[in-house]
């Protein structure tokens, strides 16, 4: 996408990042969360070397991606879980793909061998972009959680590094 660049996600992006997160929450097909966290909670939960923002020429955040460790056990040191969110006005322009590619590059460089995610099956666009950048469906966790009074399934995806492991 022209006019966009990927940069490290920084505290000055906080308000826009959390607004994009809340927009995804409000749409109902992105997460079980009901409210975006505070910046402090978000910042503390995300791995500092694996979080990026897509920013336009006016410094507007178009989307973000961030990873968390799946476990503190050393056997899982090379496994992270990620989230990627795109501003509704910027969808369909390659933002998610660019963010996922940046995440893949940073995790490969760090020796991380698996990136995983759980996506609602109704979120067809997210499933498609993940598959385009090398994620594969592992399976579906049926009725894994309730959202707004209804049981929801979650499709599990992973990307295994072809270079590591």
């Amino acid at each position: 996408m022209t006019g966009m660049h990927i940069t490290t996600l920084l505290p000055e992006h906080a308000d826009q990042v959390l607004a994009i997160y809340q927009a995804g929450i409000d749409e109902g097909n992105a997460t079980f969360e009901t409210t975006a966290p505070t910046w402090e909670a978000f910042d503390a939960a995300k791995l500092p070397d694996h979080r990026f923002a897509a920013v336009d020429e006016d410094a507007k955040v178009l989307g973000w991606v961030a990873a968390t460790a799946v476990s503190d056990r050393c056997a899982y040191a090379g496994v992270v879980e990620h989230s990627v969110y795109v501003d509704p006005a910027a969808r369909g322009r390659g933002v998610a793909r660019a963010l996922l590619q940046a995440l893949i590059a940073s995790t490969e460089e760090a020796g991380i061998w698996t990136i995983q995610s759980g996506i609602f099956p109704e979120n067809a666009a997210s499933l498609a972009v993940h598959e385009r950048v090398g994620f594969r469906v592992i399976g579906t966790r049926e009725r894994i959680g309730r959202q707004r009074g209804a049981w929801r399934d979650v499709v599990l995806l992973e990307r295994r590094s072809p270079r590591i492991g």
Side-chain angles (χ1 to χ4, degrees):
M1 180 176 132
T2 59
M4 173 189 74
H5 69 278
I6 304 299
T7 187
T8 301
L9 197 153
L10 301 170
E12 53 261 33
H13 301 131
D15 290 343
Q16 294 178 78
V17 164
L18 296 178
I20 291 167
Y21 195 2
Q22 189 63 52
I25 291 168
D26 293 345
E27 289 175 337
N29 280 326
T31 181
F32 283 108
E33 299 298 330
T34 57
T35 306
T38 64
W39 176 253
E40 292 75 21
F42 180 96
D43 185 49
K46 307 303 181 193
L47 297 170
D49 295 334
H50 308 294
R51 53 170 111 170
F52 301 95
V55 180
D56 72 10
E57 58 276 347
D58 298 320
K60 179 179 182 341
V61 175
L62 304 173
W64 59 270
V65 66
T68 58
V70 299
S71 175
D72 59 1
R73 295 177 62 198
C74 62
Y76 297 101
V79 183
V80 297
E81 183 169 5
H82 83 287
S83 297
V84 60
Y85 284 77
V86 176
D87 185 307
R91 292 187 186 147
R93 297 167 31 194
V95 174
R97 184 181 189 125
L99 287 165
L100 288 168
Q101 289 170 331
L103 178 67
I104 290 166
S106 76
T107 56
E108 290 275 329
E109 184 66 27
I112 291 171
W113 57 82
T114 301
I115 307 170
Q116 65 184 34
S117 190
I119 300 173
F120 290 133
E122 296 82 3
N123 196 340
S126 186
L127 290 169
V129 72
H130 280 83
E131 288 190 45
R132 282 195 297 274
V133 297
F135 283 77
R136 66 186 179 104
V137 172
I138 299 302
T140 300
R141 299 180 79 186
E142 297 176 352
R143 296 172 45 97
I144 192 67
R146 294 181 71 122
Q147 181 188 48
R148 301 175 184 155
W151 287 103
R152 299 291 302 265
D153 297 346
V154 172
V155 177
L156 298 176
L157 293 96
E158 73 173 16
R159 181 192 179 275
R160 299 294 306 251
S161 171
R163 297 182 354 189
I164 303 161

